[in-house]
């Protein structure tokens, strides 16, 4: 009987689509983490944590978001903080990528289905060299995080004991590279707004994590092979990433230049540095060096756009992705120029990719609108703050206008689900609940309609 039951379970697992397996993998990890964080050894003395808040914190960690309903620095014990850090790393690498590390360590061969899951999670276009790709990811990630932790250690050592500085350096390096935004300081990084080393180190950890493993892999390939040629994904990601960062820096500096609630009382150099940091962190990282409660409405609107676009595909960041946004822009340019195909860097983009990009954007906008209206119905908060929170959760940014802890239980559950959808991707979630496409030989007559 037991053997028959195991056979049914294995058959059930085998028949699941990669999207559904990926969702179940994340759900299992979330339940395990929530239970661990609820145990007494995870909490400081005389501190309590509800199951909802424990669930929220672990989802925020594994979805590398950074939104929090508790003060992590005060509520959680060193073990509890370590659990959060472990789930940040797990979320940054990906559940299936992390599992594959075990295969690599013990030297086991991976099945075709495991490779398909990794392809789904890593947003790769091939399963052929996925094992080599995973090895490269792991080595790259740990090297970057170690180097970042080393620099942060020497800075934190100036204000705290060496042992504590080691832990703070490791925690913030992993949190930054994974674009999580969790900090062990109650006011995030606001105390370090004038510290050049910490600002630059955290910024570039965020940028490297948000570039995407495919882009980093392309960089490594160019350096090792000596070829001056990046693949198309890398070219688009780098171009859009640089453009959005500098546009965001310029607009934040321009809009907040005289705002004493943010950067108005800083020197010009500090204003530029703070603007650059906020531009970088708005692209799904979640750290902040200035208070977001006093930013101007125009800055809030620009923040919506930057958060919604997010990081590059296959990265630790969220959002609709820079490549998706780039395809949309060049699609519009192509229509205006009456071009037959979408063209980027002298390459033609397949219409199937364009359809996928449009689907991601439309599903994302509809979902954000629905969730925003729902929370506005349940809560009595201004639209701009609720929308900021929802986009921040969906794009796994983690920046907040101090709204998250004030939300009711139902609204918190909605934000939890939004972080989950944002981390896995709206299209992955949508495909998991729909049957695979079936080709039909029947084709209906074509007829034009008037639009515009």
């Amino acid at each position: 009987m037991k053997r028959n039951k195991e056979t049914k379970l294995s058959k059930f697992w085998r028949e699941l689509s990669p999207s559904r397996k990926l969702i179940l993998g994340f759900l299992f990890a979330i339940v395990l983490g929530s239970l661990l964080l609820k145990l007494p050894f995870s909490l400081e003395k005389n501190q309590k944590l509800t199951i909802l808040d424990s669930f929220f914190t672990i989802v925020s960690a594994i979805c590398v978001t950074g939104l929090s309903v508790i003060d992590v620095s005060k509520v959680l014990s060193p073990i509890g903080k370590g659990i959060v850090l472990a789930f940040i790393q797990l979320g940054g690498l990906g559940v299936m990528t992390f599992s594959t590390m075990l295969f690599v360590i013990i030297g086991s061969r991976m099945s075709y289905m495991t490779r398909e899951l990794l392809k789904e999670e890593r947003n790769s276009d091939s399963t052929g060299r996925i094992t080599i790709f995973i090895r490269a990811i792991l080595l790259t990630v740990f090297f970057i995080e170690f180097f970042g932790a080393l620099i942060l250690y020497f800075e934190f050592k100036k204000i705290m004991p060496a042992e504590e500085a080691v832990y703070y350096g490791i925690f913030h390096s992993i949190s930054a590279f994974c674009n999580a935004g969790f900090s062990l300081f109650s006011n995030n990084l606001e105390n370090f707004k004038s510290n050049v080393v910490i600002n630059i180190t955290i910024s570039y950890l965020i940028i490297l994590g948000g570039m995407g493993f495919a882009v980093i892999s392309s960089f490594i390939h160019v350096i090792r092979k000596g070829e001056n040629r990046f693949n198309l994904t890398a070219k688009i990601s780098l171009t859009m990433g640089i453009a959005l960062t500098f546009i965001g820096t310029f607009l934040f500096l321009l809009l907040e230049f005289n705002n004493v609630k943010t950067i108005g009382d800083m020197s010009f150099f500090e204003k530029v540095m703070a603007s650059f940091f906020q531009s970088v962190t708005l692209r799904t990282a979640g750290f902040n060096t200035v208070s977001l409660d006093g930013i101007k409405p125009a800055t809030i609107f620009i923040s919506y756009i930057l958060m919604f676009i997010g990081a590059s595909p296959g990265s630790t960041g969220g959002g609709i992705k820079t490549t998706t946004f780039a395809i949309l822009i060049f699609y519009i340019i192509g229509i205006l120029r009456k071009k037959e195909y979408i063209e980027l860097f002298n390459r033609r983009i397949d219409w199937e990719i364009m359809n996928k990009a449009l689907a991601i954007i439309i599903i994302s906008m509809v979902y954000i609108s629905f969730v925003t209206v729902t929370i506005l119905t349940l809560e009595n908060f201004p639209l701009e703050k609720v929308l900021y929170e929802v986009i921040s959760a969906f794009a796994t940014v983690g920046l907040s206008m101090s709204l998250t802890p004030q939300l009711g239980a139902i609204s918190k559950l909605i934000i939890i689900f939004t972080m989950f959808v944002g981390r896995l991707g709206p299209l992955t979630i949508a495909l998991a609940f729909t049957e695979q496409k079936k080709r039909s030989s029947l084709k209906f007559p074509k007829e034009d309609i008037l639009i515009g």
Side-chain angles (χ1 to χ4, degrees), residues 283-411:
R283 304 264 313 291
T284 85
F287 286 105
N288 63 284
T289 54
V290 297
S291 175
L292 300 177
D293 291 336
I295 58 176
K296 294 181 178 180
T299 311
I300 294 173
F301 184 77
I302 297 300
S303 300
Y304 294 158
I305 298 171
L306 292 175
M307 288 192 295
F308 184 71
I309 295 170
S312 298
S315 70
T316 58
I320 62 169
K321 304 296 187 289
T322 52
T323 49
T324 306
F325 183 69
I327 287 172
L328 178 65
I329 295 297
F330 280 89
Y331 172 66
I332 294 169
I333 293 171
I335 290 175
L336 295 175
R337 292 182 177 179
K338 296 183 179 180
K339 291 201 172 192
E340 189 177 353
Y341 298 100
I342 307 165
E343 297 173 354
L344 286 89
F345 295 103
N346 298 320
R347 291 292 183 271
R348 191 177 68 191
I349 306 299
D350 193 87
W351 282 109
E352 188 175 347
I353 295 175
M354 181 63 230
N355 292 337
K356 185 178 178 181
L358 281 174
I360 290 170
I361 293 168
I362 293 169
I363 292 170
S364 300
M365 292 180 71
V366 169
Y367 180 83
I368 288 171
S369 300
F370 175 76
V371 169
T372 301
V373 170
T374 304
I375 294 179
L376 284 170
T377 305
L378 296 170
E379 310 283 350
N380 187 26
F381 294 116
L383 169 62
E384 62 181 28
K385 287 194 173 185
V386 172
L387 186 57
Y388 194 97
E389 212 80 7
V390 171
I391 296 177
S392 179
F394 179 81
T396 69
V397 178
L399 290 173
S400 174
M401 297 180 75
S402 305
L403 188 64
T404 308
Q406 303 177 54
L407 295 174
I410 297 175
S411 297

